[in-house]
């Protein structure tokens, strides 16, 4: 284990002390002292997740963040509803107005994370009424454009926060 002091010193210089990985080292001298077996196990460094927040989009209405960005560029945007930034009031009563505001909020949160709608890889849409699917789908298509559009799932739910008619969340890979 004499070389471990040198190893530990080099380790401490290399590792981010705020986010230390898990490490275990074991030395075993088998049948003969000259047979030295050293096993080192190191877990991957933990991902540094950054909180994304912008006042250009409606604030979170509960104990969560607008988005989280991982060190590898993955961005997870919380569900956006049709709340106006600043006031926190619903943008309107129709699914069209609420969808436009939800998508605007999502665009601003993506921008705050260094991403754009073209970087989105997956969305989930929650609708209070599945009969609103066609209207929301038309606005969704306009928002993402033609060509490479994200994977998507859409569900009808019993109710949404603040009486919203639509909620949209997404995952993106920022450049």
């Amino acid at each position: 284990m004499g070389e471990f002091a040198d190893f530990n010193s080099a380790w401490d210089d290399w590792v981010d002390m705020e986010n230390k990985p898990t490490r275990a080292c074991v030395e075993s001298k088998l049948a003969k002292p000259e047979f030295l077996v050293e096993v080192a196990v190191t877990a991957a460094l933990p991902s540094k997740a950054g909180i994304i927040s912008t006042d250009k989009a409606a604030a979170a209405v509960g104990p969560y963040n607008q988005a989280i960005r991982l060190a590898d560029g993955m961005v997870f945007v919380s569900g956006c509803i049709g709340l106006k930034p600043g006031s926190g009031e619903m943008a309107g009563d129709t699914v069209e107005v609420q969808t436009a505001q939800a998508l605007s909020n999502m665009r601003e949160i993506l921008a705050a994370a260094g991403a754009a709608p073209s970087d989105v890889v997956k969305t989930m849409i929650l609708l209070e009424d599945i009969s609103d699917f066609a209207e929301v789908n038309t606005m969704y298509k306009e928002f993402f454009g033609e060509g490479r559009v994200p994977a998507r799932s859409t569900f009808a739910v019993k109710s949404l926060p603040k009486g919203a008619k639509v909620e949209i969340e997404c995952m993106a890979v920022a450049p």
Side-chain angles (χ1 to χ4, degrees):
M1 297 287 277
E3 294 147 12
F4 267 23
D6 294 335
F7 177 81
N8 286 336
S9 177
W11 174 265
D12 289 343
D13 291 341
W14 178 75
V15 170
D16 174 1
M17 299 309 273
E18 296 282 317
N19 294 290
K20 270 190 188 179
T22 303
R23 178 179 138 224
C25 296
V26 177
E27 178 181 1
S28 174
K29 293 188 178 176
L30 299 174
K32 296 183 178 182
E34 58 270 13
F35 294 139
L36 175 65
V37 176
E38 188 175 300
V39 178
V41 179
T42 304
L45 289 170
S47 178
K48 295 180 184 176
I51 295 171
I52 304 301
S53 180
T54 178
D55 59 2
K56 293 180 179 180
V61 295
Y64 59 91
N65 294 294
Q66 289 174 322
I68 298 292
R69 180 180 168 146
L70 302 181
D72 65 0
M74 284 296 301
V75 179
F76 299 88
V77 177
S78 295
C80 296
I81 59 177
L83 296 177
K84 293 189 262 179
S87 74
E89 298 295 319
M90 197 60 69
D93 293 333
T94 67
V95 72
E96 292 87 1
V97 170
Q98 289 186 22
T99 300
Q101 185 62 58
L103 290 169
S104 175
N105 289 337
M106 190 168 73
R107 180 188 309 275
E108 294 296 341
I109 295 167
L110 286 166
S118 60
D119 299 316
V120 174
V121 295
K122 173 73 169 86
T123 62
M124 181 170 63
I125 301 174
L126 304 174
L127 297 172
E128 182 185 55
D129 186 344
I130 199 67
S131 67
D132 290 331
F133 181 84
E135 292 92 336
V136 172
N137 199 48
T138 297
M139 298 180 79
Y140 181 93
K141 183 178 177 182
E142 290 171 9
F143 181 79
F144 285 107
E146 299 292 327
R148 191 190 75 79
V149 294
R152 177 181 85 184
S153 53
T154 304
F155 301 94
V157 297
K158 184 175 179 180
S159 63
L160 291 167
K162 301 270 189 177
K165 296 182 180 301
V166 61
E167 181 173 349
I168 305 170
E169 71 174 46
C170 72
M171 291 179 274
V173 181

